Amino acid sequence: MGQLRRFKDLVIDWEMTPEDAVALYLEWGNNGYRGGYQNAVRSKTDHSNYFVVNTWKTPPTVTLVRRNSDGAEELVELPLPDSLARDFVTSVHGHKGVYGVNEPIRQWLEREIFGRS
């Protein structure tokens, strides 16, 4: 899992969800619809780095995404540890989709990236 350590200098937006990213970076949605993002995207240099959980895949994966108004780039994709995957799938009632990370997954990612315990 040490491959996440290479991203330790990135600024991660832990609050960004897939829905927020679409609203913020797609032309039609650049309006801060939830009120959490006050600054509109002004140029292609504006970007966010955030994680998503993909339950379409088995096992579920977590992906680090960099998004700007041009699109999204997947920087790294990893399978979730079994216990985190099981708990997350249960929390979304087995639904398939792409979701923001929950607190246990965030804590795991921070340990993997920054060596935090």
Side-chain angles (χ1 to χ4, degrees):
M1 291 294 170
Q3 58 188 316
L4 283 176
R5 297 254 162 100
R6 66 187 162 131
F7 299 107
K8 68 181 173 55
D9 294 327
L10 284 184
V11 175
I12 306 293
D13 185 343
W14 293 105
E15 304 306 315
M16 183 68 74
T17 65
E19 301 86 357
D20 287 340
V22 167
L24 192 61
Y25 288 98
L26 291 182
E27 183 177 341
W28 56 265
N30 191 1
N31 59 19
Y33 76 105
R34 289 172 120 180
Y37 293 92
Q38 303 300 326
N39 298 322
V41 174
R42 300 190 193 298
S43 76
K44 292 177 184 179
T45 61
D46 292 341
H47 69 275
S48 293
N49 302 302
Y50 60 98
F51 285 96
V52 298
V53 178
N54 184 339
T55 61
W56 285 101
K57 298 183 178 185
T58 303
T61 59
V62 63
T63 304
L64 177 57
V65 177
R66 171 176 280 165
R67 178 174 286 282
N68 68 10
S69 60
D70 266 348
E73 175 186 5
E74 295 182 354
L75 301 177
V76 67
E77 179 182 74
L78 303 166
L80 281 172
D82 290 340
S83 63
L84 286 175
R86 207 172 23 256
D87 291 348
F88 191 86
V89 169
T90 298
S91 77
V92 297
H93 308 286
H95 292 231
K96 300 292 186 190
V98 180
Y99 301 93
V101 298
N102 62 14
E103 189 59 29
I105 292 173
R106 176 181 175 169
Q107 290 173 4
W108 170 70
L109 288 167
E110 287 182 330
R111 282 193 305 273
E112 293 298 320
I113 295 169
F114 307 114
R116 296 179 182 159
S117 53

